[in-house]
Amino acid sequence: MPSRHVRATMSTATLTRNTDSSQPLVDLLEERWSPRAFDPEATIDDDALDALLEAARWAPSAANLQPRRFIVGRRGTETFRAIESHLVGFNRAWAFRASALIVAIAEVATADGDARRWAEYDLGQSIAALAVQAHAEGLHVHQMGGFEVDGLRDAFGLPDRFVPVTVSAIGTVADPSVLDEQAAARETAPRTRLPLDEIVLVKE
Ligand SMILES: Cc1cc2nc3c(=O)[nH]c(=O)nc-3n(C[C@H](O)[C@H](O)[C@H](O)COP(=O)(O)O)c2cc1C
């Protein structure tokens, strides 16, 4: 099958950057991407936010232990400000426009100190589900690893066994012109991936 071309088109404030996949994917996977240009006026209502968190809640986990916790702050709240203040500089330059920030936390050990070996894997699956649900709700998610882990942990009084792994910005896509020139260029660049024959080590 011929590979489809990357679409980076924009009509009014809607930028789509579909995959250049070699096989057809379900629409939500085809269309999901991680913007930095969020609409600073857009808000997220309770039902939409809960739909995202439900998607995270229903993701699979090893032995169904569900070692994932979340801190959720909507723009304009103290929680949002506390999360945002612990993002690294580059992320702070754009994530403040998001409608919500969500800290994804892995419970890496039980209260008795037993290690939960798959905690981060399980957490990642829940954020993947959340991102797909967000797209179905007309929202976008941009995950970030660039934040001060210890500062964020202190700000919310998290015990050592709760490890903040990512912060996700969630919101409505805006025109890339809300970003500075360099970030706007990245926003519209083709999305790329390693080829299948590089990531699949064995296929018989
Ligand atoms: C664990 C993780 C950490 C990331 N950290 C950052 C970050 O700190 N800042 C940022 O702008 N993007 C970050 N990203 C976004 C990735 O750069 C992005 O997902 C990747 O380039 C693929 O683009 P796409 O999601 O549009 O397909 C992160 C993504 C993941 C999954």
Side-chain angles (χ1 to χ4, degrees):
M1 171 186 234
S3 121
R4 277 164 285 154
H5 292 290
V6 173
R7 276 188 285 159
T9 55
M10 203 176 54
S11 61
T12 58
T14 307
L15 177 71
T16 57
R17 293 177 72 214
N18 289 21
T19 70
D20 186 20
S21 56
S22 61
Q23 299 292 327
L25 303 179
V26 296
D27 288 349
L28 291 173
L29 295 179
E30 182 77 44
E31 295 165 3
R32 183 217 61 82
W33 67 287
S34 306
R36 294 190 179 87
F38 285 108
D39 178 348
E41 306 295 326
T43 56
I44 180 168
D45 67 32
D46 252 344
D47 284 348
L49 196 51
D50 284 351
L52 271 53
L53 296 167
E54 281 292 347
R57 183 166 82 100
W58 283 99
S61 65
N64 201 21
L65 290 172
Q66 307 164 63
R68 51 209 173 205
R69 301 291 183 269
F70 304 99
I71 294 172
V72 183
R74 274 182 273 203
R75 197 182 57 250
T77 65
E78 279 303 313
T79 301
F80 184 99
R81 277 188 283 279
I83 301 169
E84 195 225 334
S85 69
H86 291 97
L87 298 177
V88 298
F90 172 65
N91 290 331
R92 287 193 79 177
W94 57 267
F96 69 92
R97 298 186 192 88
S99 302
L101 294 173
I102 297 185
V103 186
I105 298 160
E107 185 192 30
V108 297
T110 65
D112 296 334
D114 295 332
R116 292 206 150 148
R117 188 180 147 202
W118 292 284
E120 293 196 354
Y121 183 92
D122 292 340
L123 179 69
Q125 296 214 63
S126 66
I127 295 297
L130 179 150
V132 170
Q133 183 69 35
H135 197 78
E137 306 283 337
L139 297 163
H140 283 73
V141 175
H142 196 128
Q143 300 176 57
M144 293 169 274
F147 65 94
E148 300 156 12
V149 175
D150 290 340
L152 197 55
R153 196 205 291 274
D154 290 349
F156 290 97
L158 298 174
D160 284 353
R161 65 194 185 86
F162 281 0
V163 178
V165 178
T166 56
V167 175
S168 286
I170 297 163
T172 302
V173 180
D175 190 298
S177 62
V178 302
L179 300 170
D180 66 37
E181 208 175 312
Q182 198 182 1
R186 289 173 70 175
E187 192 80 345
T188 50
R191 294 174 59 233
T192 61
R193 291 295 189 270
L194 298 173
L196 265 189
D197 61 8
E198 188 170 341
I199 64 169
V200 178
L201 299 182
V202 178
K203 178 184 154 213
E204 199 171 28

